[in-house]
Amino acid sequence: MGVTRGTPAARQRTTAVLTAVVAAAIVIGILVVASRAPGPGRDSRAYPADRGTITLAGALGRAHVRIPDCLAGTLRYAVPGPSHDLYLMLNGSRPCLDQFTTINALTSEGATAELPAWAVDGRGETLGWRLDASRGYTLYTARPAPDHTIEALIRELSDASAYQAFVRAT
């Protein structure tokens, strides 16, 4: 007696199910390989403390901060914690820093003897910043939108031809 292999309809269903399983396995395999493929790479301007969950452009937009072209190549940044605070370090000439303060509507609060909490409570240190009030910072502030604040500590560097700004935007 011979072995019966089922009806033609049953064989068709089995073939269809096996085809669907193989196709699904191929699609899943492609998705796994694609998800592990290297992306565009980490932004070289990002500090190691940056979480990498948002691009610089996205972080600037969310914080309502604009960067003039003359500072775009010199900046460093991070969005390091669970909050969406953006930290920037900018280096440039006085005209470039003036442009930054102007386009962000920053107002000078004058020379500061006491630095804001974020500059001295370890948040700046995680980025490698060593901020010291004796270095002669001027504090600039702005509120570009409800629930958003920009604070910038700007100082003249020792050679008097360059300036440096440490910025926190929330």
Side-chain angles (χ1 to χ4, degrees), residues 42-135:
R42 183 170 178 84
D43 188 330
S44 63
R45 298 170 297 178
Y47 285 104
D50 181 67
R51 289 182 308 161
T53 57
I54 188 169
T55 64
L56 174 60
L60 290 168
R62 184 174 53 206
H64 302 277
V65 175
R66 294 174 40 210
I67 303 294
D69 290 340
C70 61
L71 294 174
T74 67
L75 71 81
R76 299 286 314 271
Y77 77 95
V79 179
S83 71
H84 297 296
D85 294 355
L86 170 63
Y87 294 86
L88 298 163
M89 185 184 67
L90 309 166
N91 291 295
S93 66
R94 184 75 222 181
C96 283
L97 268 295
D98 286 345
Q99 191 176 352
F100 173 76
T101 60
T102 300
I103 65 174
N104 289 292
L106 292 166
T107 302
S108 174
E109 305 293 331
T112 183
E114 190 173 313
L115 299 176
W118 59 266
V120 294
D121 68 3
R123 287 179 273 180
E125 258 182 51
T126 63
L127 305 173
W129 298 353
R130 303 288 184 259
L131 304 174
D132 179 352
S134 68
R135 291 187 176 166

Side-chain angles (χ1 to χ4, degrees), residues 4-29:
T4 309
R5 299 229 181 235
T7 66
R11 283 193 301 267
Q12 260 184 333
R13 278 192 301 275
T14 302
T15 301
V17 168
L18 286 175
T19 301
V21 168
V22 169
I26 290 171
V27 168
I28 290 170

